[in-house]
Amino acid sequence: MDDEWICGRMGEDEPWVLGAVNPPVFENSLFTFATAEELGAAIRDEDERYVYWRGTNPTVDLAQRKLAALERGERAKCFGSGMGAIAATISSLVQAGDHVLVLGAVYGPTTQFLRYLEKFGVTHTHVSDLAGCDSAIRPSTRLLYFESPSYMAYAVVDIAEVTAWAREHGLVTVMDNTWSTPIFQKPLTMGVDLVVHSLSKYVGGHSDLVGGVVVGPSRLIRPLALTEYQLYGAAMSPHDAAKVIKGLRTLPVRMAAHQERGLAVAEFLNGHPAVRSVNHPGLPSHPGHATALRQMSGFSSLFSLVLDTESREEVGGFLNKLRHFRIGVSWGGFESLVNAPALSTEESVRATMGIPVGLVRLSVGLEPADTLIKDLGLALEGVGRLA
């Protein structure tokens, strides 16, 4: 199926939509049945039948079907947050005594959740490459978790190579694909078992919703939907699902614009005397550029640079001088954002991820690139060697 058709029209001409240009939002918390027998049958199949909001409803279901189709997966399950999706997915795959391998840098709260699982007897090890996986794997290892491009550093993982290694060792793979979106990268087609996303970012696209999703084969999604999804209660609301559906309609167009503006800003920063390095996989100078071209069809506008400084105060001063980049967490909306992990991330997590003091994350929005470049140029005056 064509991605643009999936985003814009798939499921939106079905009879239940009643010809509405925007699919209806089903606000009701429950659905009733003509007989007790029908209710009983529906409860036994609650991951696919409409019974109660905490299970699913038609608006959420449409968002799920679109996201599954975009990722070329059989099923999807939407959650009330990205961490809801991540926590439920990891929990569904491990039990007491199991071990998790984490490849490369991943979202900070994911690491925090893995630490939380230690009190239930689930351990984990962070490694930087497949050689590290070879050294760290145990008889109890069940899961390999990673992002590509990776968190903050935006290193590119050879997905096919990693999934082949995992299959050889009998491990399930879970990958966070939020950075690329399904428009630019489809990990399931490269052997990944389950893909997770924060829908709050590019998919929603307007900084007005919080949500997450996991996509994959029915054999893994169905037990998760019946157990962790129901018990954790991190259900997506139908109103947020409607925002996901609307965000998907413009996702292909927005990602093309994000790519263009992000690359323009990254090219300006690359080689700037106040910048030690720029971590953007779309730059030919990026170590993973060739791999990225092989497994991705485009690049988002989230990347990092390393300022020529070891001073937290100087990093904070750079952020404070910016006028068009707003200081804040998250990313993927219209507005351009800036954040610096050294000023906000727990020191132990930053050390685990290998994030230097001078690293600054930019989320390039949809404002004119020349406006953003001028803003950065002025803020970089006085940083490091230019001080």
Side-chain angles (χ1 to χ4, degrees), residues 94-108:
V94 297
Q95 58 186 5
D98 285 348
H99 174 249
V100 178
L101 278 176
V102 182
L103 175 61
V106 299
Y107 182 46

Side-chain angles (χ1 to χ4, degrees), residues 69-113:
L70 275 177
E71 281 285 8
R72 306 302 190 260
E74 290 180 352
R75 293 280 303 279
K77 200 66 185 172
C78 284
F79 288 76
S81 70
M83 271 312 300
I86 291 168
T89 300
I90 293 174
S91 298
S92 73
L93 298 170
V94 297
Q95 58 186 5
D98 285 348
H99 174 249
V100 178
L101 278 176
V102 182
L103 175 61
V106 299
Y107 182 46
T110 301
T111 297
Q112 293 170 346
F113 178 71

